[in-house]
């Protein structure tokens, strides 16, 4: 008995470590419908830096590879293999075949990576929601998967606490359902899963934001409506900072309220701006001779910044490289 007990404890600890190792993994392919505290959609780079300013390289790797799964795989490659595969990618990234990557080339690549990340996230989420695996998602399947409402029930009681959320989702569903057949195919599902990235969904986002925030129903959002109940929970300094953000950044025409595109600029993150910031970040870390262009050698020397490796993920990306051929 004294011999068996330590073994049991050891096995338990090993199992616990494995569980936590899985939970703590950095790359995630969950569909990101998270919102910031002010109600805006979380930007693609929301996990690039911690609140304390710590830098997380996972975002950099995914911005280059265009896949959470492939970024994970790269994490387990040797530095030599990581460099070999990155060199193949660089040939695709180099649009003018000069063995260098300019800022515009890198930005175009990152924007396409963002698109591929959204498609991967939507595909994984669709596999969960598509109960009968017929390649489309019905409204009943979505309710069952998201809200736990049994799709086989004849009468669905959505419950008062979920009624508002479900109605918003229904309106978003109708906007994504381009052919009006009541179900969402793979392409429509991407729009539904990531509405902030699709122009045809922006009117619904604007409409829902006004419904939630525009308390006096004047078609605009003043500062009091913008700050809402958050104002009761933040410090005076934070309140002053929010007022400065509202006045100086969001209220473009300085009329004291947000309308139309001003609201969308607040609620919807700009992937173009995020991609430009990522270009600046990668250049700052890799442009060793400061000539404002990245040679293949510089990028490969800093491969851990771009794609990572076992020392610091990518496998199927080379098989999917035709996606970039089609886009570029």
């Amino acid at each position: 008995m004294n011999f068996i007990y330590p073994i049991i404890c050891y096995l338990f600890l090993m199992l616990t470590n494995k569980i936590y190792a899985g939970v703590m993994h950095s790359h995630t392919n969950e569909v990101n419908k998270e919102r910031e505290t002010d109600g805006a959609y979380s930007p693609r780079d929301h996990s690039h830096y911690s609140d304390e300013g710590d830098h997380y390289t996972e975002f950099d790797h995914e911005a280059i590879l265009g896949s959470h799964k492939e970024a994970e795989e790269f994490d387990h490659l040797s530095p030599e293999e990581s460099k070999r595969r990155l060199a193949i990618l660089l040939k695709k990234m180099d649009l003018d075949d000069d063995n260098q990557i300019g800022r515009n080339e890198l930005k175009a690549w990152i924007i396409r990576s963002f698109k591929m990340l959204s498609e991967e996230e939507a595909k994984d989420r669709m596999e969960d929601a598509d109960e009968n695996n017929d390649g489309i998602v019905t409204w009943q399947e979505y309710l069952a998967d998201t809200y736990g409402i049994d799709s086989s029930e004849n009468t669905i009681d959505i419950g008062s606490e979920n009624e508002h959320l479900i109605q918003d989702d229904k309106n978003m569903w109708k906007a994504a359902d381009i052919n009006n057949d009541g179900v969402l195919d793979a392409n429509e599902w991407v729009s539904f899963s990531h509405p902030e990235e699709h122009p045809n969904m922006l009117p619904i986002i604007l409409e829902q934001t006004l419904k939630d925030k525009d308390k006096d129903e004047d078609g605009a959002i003043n500062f009091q409506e913008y700050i809402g109940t958050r104002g009761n929970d933040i410090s005076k300094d934070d309140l002053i900072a929010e007022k400065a953000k509202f006045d100086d950044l969001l209220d473009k025409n300085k009329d004291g309220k947000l309308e139309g595109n001003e609201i969308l600029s607040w609620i919807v993150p700009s992937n173009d701006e995020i991609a430009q910031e990522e270009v600046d970040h990668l250049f700052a870390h890799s442009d060793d001779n400061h000539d404002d262009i990245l040679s293949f050698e510089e990028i490969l020397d800093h491969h851990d910044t771009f794609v990572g490796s076992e020392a610091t993920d990518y496998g199927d990306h080379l098989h999917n490289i035709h996606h970039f051929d089609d886009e570029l």
Side-chain angles (χ1 to χ4, degrees), residues 68 131 143 224 249 328:
H68 301 290
E131 187 176 328
L143 287 178
Q224 191 58 50
L249 297 178
L328 300 176

Side-chain angles (χ1 to χ4, degrees), residues 130-147:
D130 183 11
E131 187 176 328
N132 61 359
N133 298 314
D134 62 352
I136 58 174
V137 179
T138 66
W139 177 244
Q140 303 282 15
E141 287 176 323
Y142 174 72
L143 287 178
D145 183 67
T146 304
Y147 295 97

Side-chain angles (χ1 to χ4, degrees), residues 38 40 209 213 221 226 250 258 262-268:
D38 64 358
T209 303
K213 301 280 188 179
I221 296 176
Y226 163 79
L250 300 178
L258 306 183
E262 290 174 325
I263 296 174
L264 289 175
S265 294
W266 156 41
I267 292 293
V268 177

Side-chain angles (χ1 to χ4, degrees), residues 44-59:
R44 173 60 69 182
D45 63 346
H46 72 285
S47 60
H48 198 186
Y49 293 92
S50 71
D51 293 339
E52 293 75 29
D54 296 325
H55 174 242
Y56 297 121
T57 60
E58 290 81 6
F59 172 76

Side-chain angles (χ1 to χ4, degrees), residues 5 43 48 91 96 140 202 253 316:
Y5 180 76
H48 198 186
K91 289 293 185 181
D96 55 10
Q140 303 282 15
L202 297 184
N253 62 3
D316 296 332

Side-chain angles (χ1 to χ4, degrees), residues 19-246:
I19 290 173
Y20 278 102
V23 171
M24 292 298 290
H25 203 288
S26 305
H27 300 287
T28 174
N29 60 0
E30 287 295 318
V31 170
N32 177 22
K33 276 194 169 183
E34 295 178 1
R35 297 293 190 109
E36 302 293 280
T37 55
D38 64 358
Y41 282 86
S42 290
R44 173 60 69 182
D45 63 346
H46 72 285
S47 60
H48 198 186
Y49 293 92
S50 71
D51 293 339
E52 293 75 29
D54 296 325
H55 174 242
Y56 297 121
T57 60
E58 290 81 6
F59 172 76
D60 302 322
H61 303 165
E62 291 163 3
I64 296 300
L65 295 170
S67 168
H68 301 290
K69 297 174 183 176
E70 291 166 8
E72 266 189 27
E73 186 172 344
F74 247 110
D75 288 342
H76 302 289
L77 295 177
S78 68
E80 294 74 22
E81 180 63 12
S82 176
K83 289 181 181 181
R84 186 188 73 81
R85 298 189 184 192
L86 177 57
I88 297 174
L89 279 185
L90 293 178
K91 289 293 185 181
K92 296 294 181 180
M93 198 184 302
D94 181 18
L95 299 180
D96 55 10
D97 296 320
D98 64 352
N99 293 320
Q100 301 178 110
I101 303 299
R103 288 180 177 270
N104 290 337
E105 290 173 317
L106 185 55
K107 182 177 179 180
W109 184 269
I110 290 171
I111 289 174
R112 284 161 176 77
S113 287
F114 289 168
K115 181 174 182 288
M116 291 180 68
L117 284 164
S118 296
E119 290 171 350
E120 179 185 78
E121 292 161 357
K123 180 183 178 184
D124 287 350
R125 180 69 177 81
M126 187 174 182
E127 289 175 357
D128 293 334
D130 183 11
E131 187 176 328
N132 61 359
N133 298 314
D134 62 352
I136 58 174
V137 179
T138 66
W139 177 244
Q140 303 282 15
E141 287 176 323
Y142 174 72
L143 287 178
D145 183 67
T146 304
Y147 295 97
I149 299 172
D150 189 353
S151 61
S152 64
E153 294 177 357
N154 292 327
T155 302
I156 295 180
D157 181 11
I158 61 177
S160 58
E161 65 181 39
N162 283 328
E163 187 173 357
H164 173 72
L165 293 174
I166 292 176
Q167 186 56 55
D168 281 351
D169 284 353
K170 185 64 174 178
N171 293 336
M172 200 72 74
W173 182 282
K174 290 178 179 178
D177 182 17
I178 301 299
N179 60 5
N180 297 313
D181 62 354
V183 299
L184 301 185
D185 60 27
N187 291 329
E188 293 169 331
W189 179 260
V190 176
S191 295
F192 178 71
S193 300
H194 296 75
E196 73 280 13
E197 297 181 2
H198 294 82
N200 63 302
M201 305 297 286
L202 297 184
I204 299 299
I205 292 177
L206 177 59
E207 177 185 317
Q208 292 184 352
T209 303
L210 285 169
K211 184 178 69 173
D212 292 340
K213 301 280 188 179
D214 181 20
K215 302 305 180 182
D216 59 12
E217 299 182 351
D218 66 345
I221 296 176
N222 59 39
F223 177 72
Q224 191 58 50
E225 292 168 330
Y226 163 79
I227 199 68
T229 58
R230 290 187 297 130
N232 301 325
D233 302 320
I234 61 178
S235 68
K236 181 179 179 180
D237 287 343
D238 287 341
L239 189 61
I240 292 173
E242 286 289 352
K243 186 65 166 70
K245 175 183 175 182
F246 184 92

